Amino acid sequence: NKSSRKKKKSEKTLEDVIQEMMLDEGNSGRAASESSIDPRKGKVSYKVASAAKALYEGQALGADVLIVDPPRKGLEEDVLVQLCKPHNPNQDYTEDPVLLQGPRYKSNFVNDAHTLIYVSCGFDAFARDCDRLLKGNAGWRLQSATGYVLFPGSNHVETIAIFKRRAGRQDIF
């Protein structure tokens, strides 16, 4: 029927939304990838991958804010290890992991992050990860944590916690 066809034409897919976000407004509608402006500067990006793989590919290098949304089992061990490393003011700023000096285990792949937003669907794992973050050597402090009942009638609670630390380039300059 015509009304359902019209509705489908007006609906946007995630791909449509992302393409719209990537348009360079100052470039007469040309896609940002066609311009000389880096489309990632000042924009949000995301990647579907294991958190550890994304970290080691450099996805968090240069990031001020990290958002993690692990499964019920909590954060991967490699991710916790990186998050518990203290900020290293001597580590060169780079957004490319190839340019990090020294062995990978000495690099801090979350060196510039000063805010961590942790979305948890498993409270026991969140409590364990929170304990490690707060006792670790990275200087994380729990700024706030709020529980949300998204499924009324169930005993399931989503927790959103915001951690802060003094880190990143703003403390160095």
Side-chain angles (χ1 to χ4, degrees), residues 97-142:
V98 173
L99 301 177
L100 289 173
Q101 301 295 317
R104 185 166 105 168
Y105 72 89
K106 287 191 174 185
S107 296
N108 186 338
F109 286 83
V110 297
N111 200 46
D112 297 309
H114 55 81
T115 302
L116 172 66
I117 300 172
Y118 191 124
V119 180
S120 173
C121 63
F123 189 78
D124 291 340
F126 167 72
R128 183 196 66 234
D129 292 349
C130 184
D131 188 54
R132 287 214 24 212
L133 289 168
L134 296 174
K135 289 180 178 176
N137 200 17
W140 292 110
R141 296 177 330 273
L142 182 60

